[in-house]
């Protein structure tokens, strides 16, 4: 088969012939129809991610048809249209991932290839109302945002929610989930264009976080937040204690702007705030997300499609952070 292979960090990703995976018991081979990019792929490509190994085939998100099944796998899966849950080996406790947890696309070879190997337990029926590209766009980012918003943040209808840094895939999904759930949603972004795109998806308003008084403006517009979703940390994170309503939940799943700053601790305990970290999600979270999507017929936002053989170009675009929503490779 052919695959996009990363031989070393900061090296071009090469579309080349590689050996097709062989299956062990319980495993399946999926012929990829579309594969979605995530920020994770970009960080791996420049060598800034834990557990790096080379050569590697990137890609956590994929949709396709089951081409082969291993021993013990039900024949019902053969030729079925599927999506793949990239959150593997979560463990026994829903509250946190176990020591064997891993994400498809490192250390195991991922979806930026003609075929990908996974275990049958991570297969789910492709949502009938979505095309291949839309189906490949949401598993990792959608799951991360869903757990952050609902499992950790306990967002519910009528809550006021802030999505900090709305432009990328996780931010866009958090916005779509919150709007569908009946929340009143506000956003921040460094781009006025992205704020307008968020408004078109149902955000009440947005503020450019590059403005000196961004937090004060958000407070004036919203009256405060029940749930705040963030993926950056950095100095701006300290403002969330002011923006959160009493009893509010501040949930984060990334640190792209640096480490957590000094936080006004008295406000945290006096307002009974919760600061919660999260990563990916359980199979229960994934199944709840699929049910939620099917109920509300939510369609992922796709910024741009690239041919499957051009993963390198797609990752270069992701590195510019110019996209809104998802970047997808099409077979």
């Amino acid at each position: 088969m052919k695959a996009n292979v990363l031989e070393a960090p900061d090296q071009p990703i090469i579309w080349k012939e590689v050996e097709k995976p062989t299956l062990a018991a319980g495993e399946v081979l999926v012929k990829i129809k579309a594969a979605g990019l995530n920020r994770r792929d970009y960080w791996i490509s420049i060598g800034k991610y834990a557990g790096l190994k080379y050569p590697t085939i990137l890609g956590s998100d994929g949709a396709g048809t089951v081409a082969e099944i291993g021993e013990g796998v039900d024949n019902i899966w053969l030729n079925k249209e599927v999506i793949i849950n990239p959150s593997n080996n979560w463990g026994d406790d829903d509250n946190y991932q176990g020591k064997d947890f891993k994400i498809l696309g490192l250390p195991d070879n991922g979806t930026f290839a003609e075929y990908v190997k996974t275990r049958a337990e991570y297969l789910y029926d492709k949502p009938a109302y979505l095309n291949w590209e839309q189906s490949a766009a949401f598993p990792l980012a959608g799951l991360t945002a869903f757990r952050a918003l609902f499992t950790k943040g306990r967002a519910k209808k009528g809550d006021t929610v802030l999505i900090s840094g709305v432009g990328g895939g996780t931010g866009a999904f958090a916005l779509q989930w919150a709007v569908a759930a009946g929340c009143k949603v506000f956003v921040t972004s460094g781009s006025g264009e992205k704020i307008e795109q968020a408004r078109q998806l149902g955000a009440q308003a947005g503020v450019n976080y590059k403005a000196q008084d961004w937090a004060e403006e958000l407070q004036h517009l919203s009256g405060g937040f029940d749930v705040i979703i963030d993926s950056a940390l950095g100095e701006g994170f300290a403002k969330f204690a002011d923006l959160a309503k009493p009893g509010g939940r501040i949930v984060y799943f990334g640190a792209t702007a640096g480490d957590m700053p000094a936080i006004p601790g008295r406000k945290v305990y006096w307002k009974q705030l919760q600061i919660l970290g999260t990563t990916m999600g359980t199979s229960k979270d994934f199944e709840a997300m699929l049910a939620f999507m099917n109920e509300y017929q939510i369609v992922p936002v796709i910024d741009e499609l690239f041919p499957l053989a051009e993963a390198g170009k797609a990752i270069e675009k992701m590195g510019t952070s110019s996209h809104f929503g998802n970047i997808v490779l099409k077979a």
Side-chain angles (χ1 to χ4, degrees):
M1 71 172 190
K2 284 196 168 182
N4 291 282
V5 180
L6 178 65
E7 303 280 0
D10 283 325
Q11 294 295 312
I13 294 174
I14 303 170
W15 179 249
K16 61 184 285 189
E17 196 76 27
V18 298
E19 188 174 344
K20 192 165 75 169
T22 55
L23 301 181
E27 294 180 336
V28 298
L29 193 69
V30 178
K31 182 175 176 57
I32 291 294
K33 297 289 189 180
L37 272 71
N38 292 283
R39 180 65 61 174
R40 178 179 194 261
D41 300 307
Y42 168 72
W43 291 121
I44 294 169
S45 76
I46 62 172
K48 294 183 177 180
Y49 200 86
L52 293 169
K53 73 172 185 67
Y54 304 101
T56 193
I57 299 171
L58 300 178
S60 302
D61 288 338
T65 58
V66 179
E68 298 176 22
I69 59 174
E71 182 184 348
V73 177
D74 195 323
N75 284 332
I76 195 172
W77 285 111
L78 198 57
N79 299 318
K80 187 179 278 284
E81 297 183 347
V82 297
I83 58 171
I84 303 167
N85 179 1
S87 184
N88 296 175
N89 300 346
W90 179 269
D92 298 327
D93 195 317
D94 288 352
N95 291 306
Y96 59 91
Q97 66 272 26
K99 61 181 179 61
D100 295 326
F101 173 75
K102 58 184 178 179
I103 302 170
L104 184 62
L106 185 79
D108 298 334
N109 284 331
T111 59
F112 295 174
E114 291 181 324
Y115 294 90
V116 66
K117 180 175 72 172
T118 188
R119 293 190 60 80
E121 64 194 273
Y122 302 125
L123 297 181
Y124 292 85
D125 289 340
K126 170 186 165 294
Y129 73 95
L130 297 179
N131 63 29
W132 285 116
E133 295 77 38
Q134 293 160 347
S135 297
F138 71 83
L140 186 149
L143 175 63
T144 300
F146 192 89
R147 180 176 174 88
L149 185 65
F150 296 119
T151 307
K152 292 281 192 171
R154 306 193 312 279
K156 62 186 184 304
K157 184 177 181 179
D159 279 353
T160 305
V161 174
L162 172 63
I163 310 298
S164 173
V166 74
T170 46
F173 281 120
L175 169 60
Q176 289 182 283
W177 302 156
V179 169
C183 300
K184 188 177 182 182
V185 189
F186 295 79
V187 302
T188 69
S189 174
S191 161
E193 182 180 351
K194 290 182 180 182
I195 290 170
E196 181 54 36
Q197 288 174 292
R199 290 186 63 188
Q200 291 174 15
L201 285 173
Q204 300 284 318
V207 170
N208 192 315
Y209 57 67
K210 295 177 182 177
Q212 188 170 359
D213 61 346
W214 66 269
E216 291 79 3
E217 187 177 350
L218 267 178
Q219 180 67 41
H220 174 73
L221 289 169
S222 68
F225 298 98
D226 300 289
V227 181
I228 297 172
I229 303 295
D230 178 66
S231 62
L233 291 181
E235 288 305 311
F237 192 86
K239 296 284 189 180
F240 294 155
D242 294 314
L243 290 171
K245 293 179 180 178
R249 284 83 64 200
I250 303 167
V251 188
Y252 73 99
F253 48 80
T256 56
D259 288 327
M260 189 177 291
I263 293 171
R266 293 174 181 83
K267 291 179 181 177
V268 173
Y269 73 70
W270 188 250
K271 294 171 73 174
Q272 304 271 349
L273 304 181
Q274 296 178 62
I275 299 174
L276 304 160
T278 187
T279 294
M280 298 292 287
T282 66
S283 293
K284 292 177 185 176
D285 291 324
F286 196 86
E287 289 156 13
M289 174 185 67
L290 283 178
F292 186 86
M293 291 184 71
N294 279 297
E295 179 180 356
Y296 294 102
Q297 299 285 286
I298 298 171
V299 177
V301 178
I302 294 179
D303 180 274
E304 187 171 354
L305 295 173
F306 288 83
L308 181 59
E310 296 182 5
K313 290 183 180 179
I315 288 176
E316 283 179 16
K317 173 164 184 174
M318 175 157 279
T320 68
S321 296
S322 61
H323 60 291
F324 184 94
N326 303 273
I327 300 170
V328 176
L329 305 175
K330 182 178 181 180

